[in-house]
Amino acid sequence: MTTMGATDAAAPPREGLITGDAVLLDLRPAPFPVRMISAIIDGVLQLLLFFGAVIGLVWVASRLEIDQGYIAAALVLISVLVFVGYPLLSELLLRGRSVGRLVMGTRVVRDDGGPVHARQSLLRAVMAMFEIWSTSGALAVTCSLLDRRSRRVGDLLAGTMVIQERMRDLVPQRPEMPEQLHTWATGADVGRLPLTLLQDIRGFLPRAEQMNPASRHQLSRELLQRTLPHVAPAPPPGTDPETFLRAVLSERSRRDEARLQRARARQDELSAEVRAVPFAR
């Protein structure tokens, strides 16, 4: 593990989602594999509905001797209901979700983070007929791999994206303070770290031991470069990046816990004072 120097270049800022009111939204786009699994679940369900309806239509047509023109019209209607109606109704009734998205914990939202409209869901469903069913998913997969938010063509045209709504719950644990940085961390200013950066550090440290050494080294350096501008004074020269990140996170967590305890104590005091005041008669 290399040590840090004073000439480290600043890391590129993390991309954020800014609304029209200049509000930063902490929305995490659903990863490509998650979207693939969700699409497969919905696709299998749609195929089951389609073939079930077709079998039912054939059975009815054989019993009633329906004209071939009516059968063809019924097939078109079934196709529209299954491949357009299903995604449209599911997104409207389930607030941007479908059966596959419910399983994978994802949801479709507008690019500004708001709920999707009917016209956006309709456009996504119509485009899915072309980019997913007509091309066996090749066009949708290619576009999702090229886009930074894993959006397909329908998302780009409708102005929507799929976000990861449900994530695995982790038991919060404060990392142990490295002994060699205890004195420095106690007097350092670590209160200016952005929330997204803290989340990235919390996600990196617990799984650092299981990561590939090269990836671990690169990610620790990137997090180091993103953290240094928000910490003062700088840590002692020669500090290991992971040791630095662990010290910053430990001290920030300790201060947040102390602040929360003080707020709760003050709230309890105020509640006790309110209960002690006699009611006016």
Short mmCIF file of all heavy atoms in Angstrom, two decimals, residues 51-101:
data_model
loop_
_atom_site.label_atom_id
_atom_site.label_comp_id
_atom_site.label_asym_id
_atom_site.label_seq_id
_atom_site.Cartn_x
_atom_site.Cartn_y
_atom_site.Cartn_z
N PHE A 51 -48.66 -16.22 -24.19
CA PHE A 51 -48.96 -17.57 -24.68
C PHE A 51 -50.21 -18.13 -24.02
O PHE A 51 -50.97 -18.89 -24.64
CB PHE A 51 -47.76 -18.49 -24.43
CG PHE A 51 -46.61 -18.23 -25.35
CD1 PHE A 51 -45.39 -17.79 -24.87
CD2 PHE A 51 -46.75 -18.40 -26.72
CE1 PHE A 51 -44.33 -17.54 -25.71
CE2 PHE A 51 -45.69 -18.15 -27.58
CZ PHE A 51 -44.48 -17.71 -27.07
N GLY A 52 -50.45 -17.77 -22.76
CA GLY A 52 -51.69 -18.21 -22.12
C GLY A 52 -52.91 -17.63 -22.80
O GLY A 52 -53.91 -18.34 -23.02
N ALA A 53 -52.84 -16.34 -23.17
CA ALA A 53 -53.96 -15.73 -23.85
C ALA A 53 -54.13 -16.30 -25.26
O ALA A 53 -55.27 -16.49 -25.73
CB ALA A 53 -53.76 -14.21 -23.92
N VAL A 54 -53.02 -16.57 -25.94
CA VAL A 54 -53.11 -17.15 -27.29
C VAL A 54 -53.72 -18.54 -27.24
O VAL A 54 -54.58 -18.90 -28.08
CB VAL A 54 -51.72 -17.18 -27.94
CG1 VAL A 54 -51.74 -18.00 -29.24
CG2 VAL A 54 -51.24 -15.77 -28.24
N ILE A 55 -53.31 -19.35 -26.29
CA ILE A 55 -53.89 -20.69 -26.16
C ILE A 55 -55.39 -20.60 -25.89
O ILE A 55 -56.19 -21.35 -26.45
CB ILE A 55 -53.17 -21.47 -25.04
CG1 ILE A 55 -51.72 -21.76 -25.46
CG2 ILE A 55 -53.90 -22.76 -24.72
CD1 ILE A 55 -50.89 -22.40 -24.37
N GLY A 56 -55.76 -19.66 -25.02
CA GLY A 56 -57.18 -19.48 -24.75
C GLY A 56 -57.93 -19.03 -25.99
O GLY A 56 -59.07 -19.48 -26.24
N LEU A 57 -57.32 -18.14 -26.79
CA LEU A 57 -57.96 -17.68 -28.01
C LEU A 57 -58.13 -18.81 -29.01
O LEU A 57 -59.20 -18.94 -29.65
CB LEU A 57 -57.13 -16.55 -28.63
CG LEU A 57 -57.59 -16.01 -29.98
CD1 LEU A 57 -58.98 -15.39 -29.87
CD2 LEU A 57 -56.60 -15.01 -30.54
N VAL A 58 -57.11 -19.64 -29.17
CA VAL A 58 -57.19 -20.77 -30.10
C VAL A 58 -58.28 -21.74 -29.67
O VAL A 58 -59.05 -22.26 -30.49
CB VAL A 58 -55.83 -21.48 -30.19
CG1 VAL A 58 -55.94 -22.78 -30.98
CG2 VAL A 58 -54.79 -20.56 -30.84
N TRP A 59 -58.36 -21.97 -28.37
CA TRP A 59 -59.39 -22.89 -27.86
C TRP A 59 -60.78 -22.35 -28.14
O TRP A 59 -61.67 -23.07 -28.60
CB TRP A 59 -59.19 -23.10 -26.36
CG TRP A 59 -60.15 -24.09 -25.77
CD1 TRP A 59 -60.02 -25.44 -25.74
CD2 TRP A 59 -61.39 -23.78 -25.12
NE1 TRP A 59 -61.10 -26.02 -25.12
CE2 TRP A 59 -61.97 -25.01 -24.73
CE3 TRP A 59 -62.06 -22.60 -24.84
CZ2 TRP A 59 -63.19 -25.08 -24.07
CZ3 TRP A 59 -63.29 -22.66 -24.19
CH2 TRP A 59 -63.84 -23.88 -23.80
N VAL A 60 -60.99 -21.06 -27.88
CA VAL A 60 -62.29 -20.45 -28.14
C VAL A 60 -62.59 -20.44 -29.63
O VAL A 60 -63.74 -20.73 -30.05
CB VAL A 60 -62.33 -19.01 -27.57
CG1 VAL A 60 -63.60 -18.29 -27.99
CG2 VAL A 60 -62.24 -19.03 -26.05
N ALA A 61 -61.59 -20.11 -30.46
CA ALA A 61 -61.81 -20.06 -31.91
C ALA A 61 -62.17 -21.43 -32.46
O ALA A 61 -63.00 -21.55 -33.38
CB ALA A 61 -60.56 -19.52 -32.60
N SER A 62 -61.56 -22.49 -31.93
CA SER A 62 -61.88 -23.84 -32.41
C SER A 62 -63.27 -24.28 -32.01
O SER A 62 -63.90 -25.07 -32.72
CB SER A 62 -60.84 -24.83 -31.88
OG SER A 62 -60.90 -24.88 -30.45
N ARG A 63 -63.79 -23.76 -30.93
CA ARG A 63 -65.13 -24.14 -30.47
C ARG A 63 -66.21 -23.34 -31.19
O ARG A 63 -67.28 -23.86 -31.49
CB ARG A 63 -65.26 -23.92 -28.97
CG ARG A 63 -64.38 -24.83 -28.12
CD ARG A 63 -64.80 -26.30 -28.25
NE ARG A 63 -64.08 -27.15 -27.32
CZ ARG A 63 -62.88 -27.66 -27.56
NH1 ARG A 63 -62.26 -27.36 -28.69
NH2 ARG A 63 -62.30 -28.46 -26.68
N LEU A 64 -65.93 -22.07 -31.46
CA LEU A 64 -66.96 -21.18 -32.01
C LEU A 64 -66.79 -20.93 -33.50
O LEU A 64 -67.62 -20.26 -34.11
CB LEU A 64 -66.95 -19.84 -31.27
CG LEU A 64 -67.17 -19.92 -29.76
CD1 LEU A 64 -67.15 -18.52 -29.16
CD2 LEU A 64 -68.51 -20.60 -29.44
N GLU A 65 -65.72 -21.46 -34.11
CA GLU A 65 -65.44 -21.27 -35.54
C GLU A 65 -65.45 -19.78 -35.90
O GLU A 65 -66.18 -19.32 -36.78
CB GLU A 65 -66.46 -22.04 -36.39
CG GLU A 65 -66.40 -23.54 -36.18
CD GLU A 65 -67.37 -24.28 -37.09
OE1 GLU A 65 -68.12 -23.58 -37.81
OE2 GLU A 65 -67.36 -25.51 -37.09
N ILE A 66 -64.60 -19.01 -35.21
CA ILE A 66 -64.51 -17.57 -35.43
C ILE A 66 -63.76 -17.29 -36.72
O ILE A 66 -62.83 -18.02 -37.09
CB ILE A 66 -63.81 -16.90 -34.23
CG1 ILE A 66 -64.61 -17.17 -32.94
CG2 ILE A 66 -63.67 -15.40 -34.44
CD1 ILE A 66 -63.96 -16.61 -31.71
N ASP A 67 -64.14 -16.23 -37.39
CA ASP A 67 -63.50 -15.84 -38.64
C ASP A 67 -62.03 -15.51 -38.41
O ASP A 67 -61.64 -14.99 -37.36
CB ASP A 67 -64.21 -14.62 -39.23
CG ASP A 67 -63.65 -14.24 -40.60
OD1 ASP A 67 -64.02 -14.89 -41.58
OD2 ASP A 67 -62.84 -13.30 -40.63
N GLN A 68 -61.18 -15.81 -39.40
CA GLN A 68 -59.74 -15.59 -39.27
C GLN A 68 -59.39 -14.12 -39.06
O GLN A 68 -58.42 -13.78 -38.39
CB GLN A 68 -59.03 -16.11 -40.53
CG GLN A 68 -59.12 -17.61 -40.72
CD GLN A 68 -58.38 -18.35 -39.61
OE1 GLN A 68 -57.35 -17.91 -39.14
NE2 GLN A 68 -58.93 -19.50 -39.21
N GLY A 69 -60.18 -13.23 -39.64
CA GLY A 69 -59.93 -11.80 -39.45
C GLY A 69 -60.09 -11.38 -38.00
O GLY A 69 -59.30 -10.59 -37.48
N TYR A 70 -61.11 -11.92 -37.35
CA TYR A 70 -61.30 -11.61 -35.94
C TYR A 70 -60.18 -12.20 -35.08
O TYR A 70 -59.75 -11.60 -34.09
CB TYR A 70 -62.66 -12.14 -35.46
CG TYR A 70 -63.83 -11.39 -36.03
CD1 TYR A 70 -64.68 -12.00 -36.95
CD2 TYR A 70 -64.09 -10.08 -35.66
CE1 TYR A 70 -65.76 -11.31 -37.49
CE2 TYR A 70 -65.17 -9.38 -36.18
CZ TYR A 70 -66.00 -10.01 -37.09
OH TYR A 70 -67.07 -9.32 -37.61
N ILE A 71 -59.70 -13.37 -35.47
CA ILE A 71 -58.61 -13.99 -34.72
C ILE A 71 -57.34 -13.14 -34.83
O ILE A 71 -56.63 -12.91 -33.86
CB ILE A 71 -58.35 -15.42 -35.24
CG1 ILE A 71 -59.57 -16.31 -34.97
CG2 ILE A 71 -57.10 -16.00 -34.58
CD1 ILE A 71 -59.43 -17.72 -35.48
N ALA A 72 -57.07 -12.65 -36.06
CA ALA A 72 -55.89 -11.80 -36.25
C ALA A 72 -56.01 -10.52 -35.45
O ALA A 72 -55.04 -10.05 -34.83
CB ALA A 72 -55.72 -11.49 -37.74
N ALA A 73 -57.19 -9.92 -35.44
CA ALA A 73 -57.40 -8.70 -34.65
C ALA A 73 -57.24 -8.99 -33.16
O ALA A 73 -56.67 -8.17 -32.42
CB ALA A 73 -58.79 -8.12 -34.93
N ALA A 74 -57.73 -10.15 -32.72
CA ALA A 74 -57.59 -10.50 -31.31
C ALA A 74 -56.13 -10.71 -30.93
O ALA A 74 -55.69 -10.34 -29.83
CB ALA A 74 -58.41 -11.76 -31.00
N LEU A 75 -55.33 -11.28 -31.85
CA LEU A 75 -53.91 -11.46 -31.59
C LEU A 75 -53.19 -10.12 -31.44
O LEU A 75 -52.33 -9.95 -30.58
CB LEU A 75 -53.26 -12.28 -32.70
CG LEU A 75 -53.58 -13.78 -32.73
CD1 LEU A 75 -52.98 -14.43 -33.97
CD2 LEU A 75 -53.03 -14.44 -31.47
N VAL A 76 -53.55 -9.17 -32.30
CA VAL A 76 -52.95 -7.83 -32.18
C VAL A 76 -53.34 -7.20 -30.85
O VAL A 76 -52.50 -6.58 -30.17
CB VAL A 76 -53.40 -6.95 -33.35
CG1 VAL A 76 -52.93 -5.51 -33.16
CG2 VAL A 76 -52.89 -7.50 -34.68
N LEU A 77 -54.61 -7.34 -30.47
CA LEU A 77 -55.06 -6.78 -29.20
C LEU A 77 -54.34 -7.41 -28.02
O LEU A 77 -53.92 -6.73 -27.08
CB LEU A 77 -56.57 -6.96 -29.06
CG LEU A 77 -57.20 -6.44 -27.76
CD1 LEU A 77 -56.97 -4.94 -27.62
CD2 LEU A 77 -58.68 -6.78 -27.71
N ILE A 78 -54.15 -8.72 -28.06
CA ILE A 78 -53.43 -9.42 -26.98
C ILE A 78 -52.00 -8.92 -26.89
O ILE A 78 -51.46 -8.68 -25.80
CB ILE A 78 -53.49 -10.94 -27.21
CG1 ILE A 78 -54.91 -11.47 -27.00
CG2 ILE A 78 -52.52 -11.66 -26.27
CD1 ILE A 78 -55.08 -12.93 -27.35
N SER A 79 -51.37 -8.76 -28.05
CA SER A 79 -49.97 -8.30 -28.06
C SER A 79 -49.86 -6.90 -27.45
O SER A 79 -48.96 -6.64 -26.66
CB SER A 79 -49.43 -8.29 -29.49
OG SER A 79 -49.47 -9.59 -30.06
N VAL A 80 -50.78 -6.02 -27.81
CA VAL A 80 -50.74 -4.66 -27.27
C VAL A 80 -50.97 -4.68 -25.78
O VAL A 80 -50.28 -3.99 -25.01
CB VAL A 80 -51.78 -3.78 -27.99
CG1 VAL A 80 -51.88 -2.42 -27.30
CG2 VAL A 80 -51.41 -3.61 -29.45
N LEU A 81 -51.96 -5.45 -25.32
CA LEU A 81 -52.27 -5.50 -23.90
C LEU A 81 -51.11 -6.07 -23.08
O LEU A 81 -50.81 -5.59 -21.99
CB LEU A 81 -53.53 -6.33 -23.66
CG LEU A 81 -54.84 -5.71 -24.14
CD1 LEU A 81 -56.00 -6.69 -23.92
CD2 LEU A 81 -55.12 -4.40 -23.43
N VAL A 82 -50.45 -7.08 -23.61
CA VAL A 82 -49.38 -7.75 -22.85
C VAL A 82 -48.09 -6.94 -22.88
O VAL A 82 -47.47 -6.69 -21.84
CB VAL A 82 -49.15 -9.17 -23.40
CG1 VAL A 82 -47.89 -9.78 -22.76
CG2 VAL A 82 -50.35 -10.06 -23.11
N PHE A 83 -47.68 -6.51 -24.08
CA PHE A 83 -46.36 -5.90 -24.21
C PHE A 83 -46.35 -4.38 -24.02
O PHE A 83 -45.28 -3.80 -23.80
CB PHE A 83 -45.76 -6.25 -25.57
CG PHE A 83 -45.52 -7.72 -25.75
CD1 PHE A 83 -46.32 -8.46 -26.60
CD2 PHE A 83 -44.51 -8.36 -25.05
CE1 PHE A 83 -46.11 -9.83 -26.76
CE2 PHE A 83 -44.30 -9.73 -25.20
CZ PHE A 83 -45.11 -10.46 -26.06
N VAL A 84 -47.51 -3.75 -24.11
CA VAL A 84 -47.61 -2.32 -23.84
C VAL A 84 -48.44 -2.06 -22.59
O VAL A 84 -48.06 -1.25 -21.73
CB VAL A 84 -48.19 -1.56 -25.05
CG1 VAL A 84 -48.36 -0.07 -24.73
CG2 VAL A 84 -47.30 -1.73 -26.27
N GLY A 85 -49.57 -2.73 -22.49
CA GLY A 85 -50.45 -2.49 -21.35
C GLY A 85 -49.86 -2.92 -20.03
O GLY A 85 -50.02 -2.22 -19.01
N TYR A 86 -49.16 -4.07 -20.02
CA TYR A 86 -48.59 -4.55 -18.75
C TYR A 86 -47.58 -3.58 -18.16
O TYR A 86 -47.72 -3.16 -17.00
CB TYR A 86 -47.96 -5.93 -18.94
CG TYR A 86 -47.06 -6.34 -17.81
CD1 TYR A 86 -47.58 -6.84 -16.63
CD2 TYR A 86 -45.67 -6.21 -17.91
CE1 TYR A 86 -46.76 -7.21 -15.57
CE2 TYR A 86 -44.84 -6.56 -16.87
CZ TYR A 86 -45.39 -7.07 -15.70
OH TYR A 86 -44.56 -7.42 -14.66
N PRO A 87 -46.53 -3.14 -18.91
CA PRO A 87 -45.59 -2.20 -18.30
C PRO A 87 -46.23 -0.85 -17.99
O PRO A 87 -45.87 -0.21 -17.00
CB PRO A 87 -44.48 -2.07 -19.35
CG PRO A 87 -45.10 -2.52 -20.62
CD PRO A 87 -46.11 -3.54 -20.26
N LEU A 88 -47.18 -0.41 -18.83
CA LEU A 88 -47.82 0.88 -18.58
C LEU A 88 -48.63 0.85 -17.30
O LEU A 88 -48.47 1.72 -16.42
CB LEU A 88 -48.72 1.24 -19.77
CG LEU A 88 -49.59 2.49 -19.61
CD1 LEU A 88 -48.72 3.72 -19.41
CD2 LEU A 88 -50.51 2.66 -20.81
N LEU A 89 -49.50 -0.15 -17.16
CA LEU A 89 -50.35 -0.22 -15.96
C LEU A 89 -49.55 -0.50 -14.71
O LEU A 89 -49.84 0.05 -13.64
CB LEU A 89 -51.43 -1.30 -16.16
CG LEU A 89 -52.49 -1.00 -17.23
CD1 LEU A 89 -53.44 -2.17 -17.37
CD2 LEU A 89 -53.25 0.27 -16.88
N SER A 90 -48.54 -1.36 -14.81
CA SER A 90 -47.76 -1.68 -13.62
C SER A 90 -47.01 -0.46 -13.10
O SER A 90 -46.95 -0.22 -11.89
CB SER A 90 -46.79 -2.83 -13.91
OG SER A 90 -45.85 -2.45 -14.92
N GLU A 91 -46.45 0.34 -14.01
CA GLU A 91 -45.73 1.54 -13.57
C GLU A 91 -46.67 2.58 -12.99
O GLU A 91 -46.32 3.29 -12.05
CB GLU A 91 -44.94 2.13 -14.74
CG GLU A 91 -43.72 1.31 -15.13
CD GLU A 91 -42.89 1.97 -16.22
OE1 GLU A 91 -43.21 3.14 -16.57
OE2 GLU A 91 -41.95 1.34 -16.73
N LEU A 92 -47.89 2.68 -13.52
CA LEU A 92 -48.84 3.65 -13.00
C LEU A 92 -49.43 3.20 -11.67
O LEU A 92 -49.57 4.00 -10.74
CB LEU A 92 -49.95 3.89 -14.02
CG LEU A 92 -49.54 4.57 -15.33
CD1 LEU A 92 -50.73 4.73 -16.25
CD2 LEU A 92 -48.88 5.92 -15.07
N LEU A 93 -49.77 1.93 -11.57
CA LEU A 93 -50.41 1.43 -10.34
C LEU A 93 -49.41 1.20 -9.22
O LEU A 93 -49.75 1.36 -8.04
CB LEU A 93 -51.16 0.13 -10.65
CG LEU A 93 -52.33 0.25 -11.64
CD1 LEU A 93 -52.95 -1.12 -11.90
CD2 LEU A 93 -53.39 1.22 -11.14
N LEU A 94 -48.18 0.82 -9.56
CA LEU A 94 -47.17 0.52 -8.55
C LEU A 94 -46.15 1.62 -8.41
O LEU A 94 -45.08 1.41 -7.83
CB LEU A 94 -46.47 -0.81 -8.91
CG LEU A 94 -47.37 -2.03 -8.99
CD1 LEU A 94 -46.57 -3.26 -9.41
CD2 LEU A 94 -48.07 -2.29 -7.66
N ARG A 95 -46.45 2.81 -8.94
CA ARG A 95 -45.58 3.98 -8.78
C ARG A 95 -44.17 3.73 -9.33
O ARG A 95 -43.18 3.86 -8.63
CB ARG A 95 -45.51 4.40 -7.32
CG ARG A 95 -46.85 4.82 -6.73
CD ARG A 95 -46.72 5.27 -5.30
NE ARG A 95 -48.01 5.69 -4.75
CZ ARG A 95 -48.18 6.14 -3.51
NH1 ARG A 95 -47.14 6.23 -2.70
NH2 ARG A 95 -49.37 6.50 -3.10
N GLY A 96 -44.12 3.37 -10.59
CA GLY A 96 -42.84 3.19 -11.25
C GLY A 96 -42.24 1.81 -11.10
O GLY A 96 -41.12 1.58 -11.55
N ARG A 97 -42.97 0.91 -10.50
CA ARG A 97 -42.45 -0.45 -10.31
C ARG A 97 -43.18 -1.44 -11.20
O ARG A 97 -44.21 -1.14 -11.77
CB ARG A 97 -42.58 -0.87 -8.84
CG ARG A 97 -41.92 0.08 -7.85
CD ARG A 97 -42.21 -0.37 -6.42
NE ARG A 97 -41.71 0.56 -5.43
CZ ARG A 97 -42.40 1.60 -4.96
NH1 ARG A 97 -43.63 1.85 -5.41
NH2 ARG A 97 -41.88 2.40 -4.04
N SER A 98 -42.63 -2.62 -11.30
CA SER A 98 -43.26 -3.76 -11.94
C SER A 98 -42.96 -4.97 -11.08
O SER A 98 -42.33 -4.84 -10.02
CB SER A 98 -42.70 -3.94 -13.36
OG SER A 98 -41.31 -4.23 -13.31
N VAL A 99 -43.41 -6.13 -11.51
CA VAL A 99 -43.13 -7.33 -10.72
C VAL A 99 -41.63 -7.55 -10.59
O VAL A 99 -41.11 -7.82 -9.52
CB VAL A 99 -43.81 -8.56 -11.36
CG1 VAL A 99 -43.41 -9.83 -10.62
CG2 VAL A 99 -45.33 -8.41 -11.34
N GLY A 100 -40.90 -7.42 -11.71
CA GLY A 100 -39.46 -7.59 -11.67
C GLY A 100 -38.77 -6.55 -10.82
O GLY A 100 -37.83 -6.84 -10.08
N ARG A 101 -39.24 -5.31 -10.88
CA ARG A 101 -38.62 -4.25 -10.08
C ARG A 101 -38.96 -4.40 -8.60
O ARG A 101 -38.16 -4.04 -7.73
CB ARG A 101 -39.06 -2.88 -10.59
CG ARG A 101 -38.61 -2.62 -12.02
CD ARG A 101 -38.80 -1.17 -12.41
NE ARG A 101 -38.73 -1.05 -13.86
CZ ARG A 101 -39.80 -0.92 -14.63
NH1 ARG A 101 -41.01 -0.83 -14.10
NH2 ARG A 101 -39.66 -0.84 -15.93
#
